[in-house]
């Protein structure tokens, strides 16, 4: 079963909001209307969205401010749909982080075509990112950048420590002997140099524990080796 696509529609005009919501439903998407900038931010903080359709002229917090707040923490595609069609307004919106700018009055088919195109692009990027990431119980390892995040905290590892973690997280149920770890990480034959593996494993455990004190990630299986717990 495919994941549902959730789209936040930030529009204070009831008729336009209703039209956009109906368009989304007919295309199989799940719309959520928001009628002010403040309401929109509450929804953005509450859950993840696949797309935001954003009007600029909103009561209270205007669309420009909403866009700025979204871009502080989120990479969700944002499509501005506004009657403010001046060239400079469009340029400012795109430079502020909007992915597209649609001027009112709009053509329904054009709007849906642009929405579908941006969703396809976003889904493709997510799949690429997921292929380059390994995750396990709050740990995220980016195999391209070698960045390690534990419970939203960046953990600085040495090259050997990183290689050990990537090895373990690539096969979370597998038990790795000290010989397995040494040969995979150091790329050399194992001559019972237990201290080298022990020291690096201890340092890795210590760094993970600092980022997540209540978790124990690496389990020692006595007489056999190590695996993720």
């Amino acid at each position: 079963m495919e994941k549902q696509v959730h789209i936040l529609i930030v529009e204070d005009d009831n008729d336009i909001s209703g039209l956009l919501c109906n368009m989304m439903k007919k295309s199989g998407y799940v719309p959520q209307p928001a009628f002010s900038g403040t309401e929109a931010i509450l929804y953005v903080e509450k859950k993840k969205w696949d797309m935001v359709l954003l009007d600029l002229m909103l009561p209270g917090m205007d669309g420009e401010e909403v866009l700025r707040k979204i871009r502080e923490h989120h990479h969700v595609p944002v499509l501005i749909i506004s009657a403010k069609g001046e060239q400079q307004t469009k340029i400012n919106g795109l430079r502020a982080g909007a992915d597209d700018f649609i001027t009112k009055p709009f053509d329904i088919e054009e709007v849906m075509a642009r929405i579908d195109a941006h969703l396809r692009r976003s889904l493709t990027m997510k799949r690429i990112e997921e292929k380059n990431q390994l995750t396990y119980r709050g740990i995220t390892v980016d195999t391209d950048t070698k960045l390690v995040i534990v419970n939203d905290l960046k953990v600085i590892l040495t090259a050997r420590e990183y290689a050990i973690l990537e090895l373990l997280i690539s096969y979370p149920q597998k038990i790795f002997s000290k010989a397995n770890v040494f040969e995979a990480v150091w790329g050399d034959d194992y001559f019972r140099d237990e201290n080298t593996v022990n020291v690096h494993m201890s340092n890795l455990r210590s760094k993970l524990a600092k980022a997540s004190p209540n978790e124990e990630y690496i389990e020692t299986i006595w007489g056999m080796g190590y695996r993720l717990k």
Side-chain angles (χ1 to χ4, degrees):
M1 184 177 179
E2 291 189 7
K3 176 182 175 292
Q4 288 185 314
V5 174
H6 294 264
I7 299 179
L8 180 63
I9 299 173
V10 190
E11 170 61 64
D12 65 322
D13 184 293
N14 284 318
D15 292 335
I16 297 177
S17 175
L19 174 63
L20 291 171
C21 284
N22 287 333
M23 289 164 54
M24 299 304 107
K25 290 175 182 176
K26 287 180 181 178
S27 295
Y29 305 143
V30 181
Q32 173 60 58
F35 296 96
S36 72
T38 304
E39 185 182 9
I41 293 302
L42 290 175
Y43 278 120
V44 169
E45 292 175 346
K46 188 182 299 183
K47 64 176 290 184
K48 291 185 178 180
W49 299 91
D50 296 292
M51 178 174 286
V52 177
L53 304 184
L54 178 63
D55 187 18
L56 293 180
M57 294 183 285
L58 297 168
M61 185 187 302
D62 63 26
E64 287 93 343
E65 181 66 10
V66 172
L67 177 60
R68 188 185 68 78
K69 288 184 175 294
I70 289 175
R71 282 292 173 255
E72 285 178 355
H73 303 288
H74 305 282
H75 299 291
V76 58
V78 177
L79 277 62
I80 293 176
I81 302 181
S82 176
K84 296 174 68 176
E86 298 86 357
Q87 185 70 7
Q88 193 57 49
T89 300
K90 293 182 180 181
I91 292 171
N92 291 342
L94 294 170
R95 284 180 172 169
D99 295 272
D100 207 343
F101 196 111
I102 301 169
T103 304
K104 298 177 184 176
F106 51 77
D107 179 83
I108 293 177
E109 293 299 324
E110 180 185 355
V111 171
M112 287 311 306
R114 292 199 191 191
I115 288 172
D116 291 342
H118 283 287
L119 285 172
R120 282 196 303 271
R121 191 175 300 119
S122 177
L123 180 59
T124 299
M125 290 304 298
K126 283 181 181 178
R127 286 173 176 167
I128 292 172
E129 291 170 0
E130 287 169 358
K131 286 181 181 178
N132 297 333
Q133 288 187 347
L134 300 170
T135 60
Y136 183 84
R137 286 179 52 208
I139 302 175
T140 300
V141 174
D142 189 311
T143 57
D144 283 342
T145 64
K146 311 303 181 187
L147 181 67
V148 176
I149 303 294
V150 179
N151 292 336
D152 297 325
L153 296 175
K154 183 178 180 181
V155 178
I156 306 299
L157 301 179
T158 66
R160 302 293 193 197
E161 292 162 0
Y162 171 84
I164 292 172
L165 179 60
E166 183 178 327
L167 177 67
L168 295 177
I169 203 171
S170 295
Y171 306 93
Q173 302 304 315
K174 178 178 171 59
I175 299 174
F176 289 90
S177 68
K178 291 181 180 179
N180 294 151
V181 174
F182 189 89
E183 290 168 3
V185 172
W186 277 264
D188 203 352
D189 292 333
Y190 179 68
F191 297 107
R192 301 200 63 79
D193 186 4
E194 295 188 1
N195 190 54
T196 299
V197 176
N198 289 343
V199 169
H200 283 81
M201 195 67 72
S202 176
N203 290 340
L204 175 59
R205 277 178 163 147
S206 177
K207 290 179 180 180
L208 295 177
K210 285 182 180 179
S212 186
N214 297 322
E215 295 284 354
E216 185 179 349
Y217 289 109
I218 300 174
E219 180 179 18
T220 299
I221 310 298
W222 294 109
M224 299 178 70
Y226 307 96
R227 72 177 174 192
L228 290 187
K229 189 172 183 180

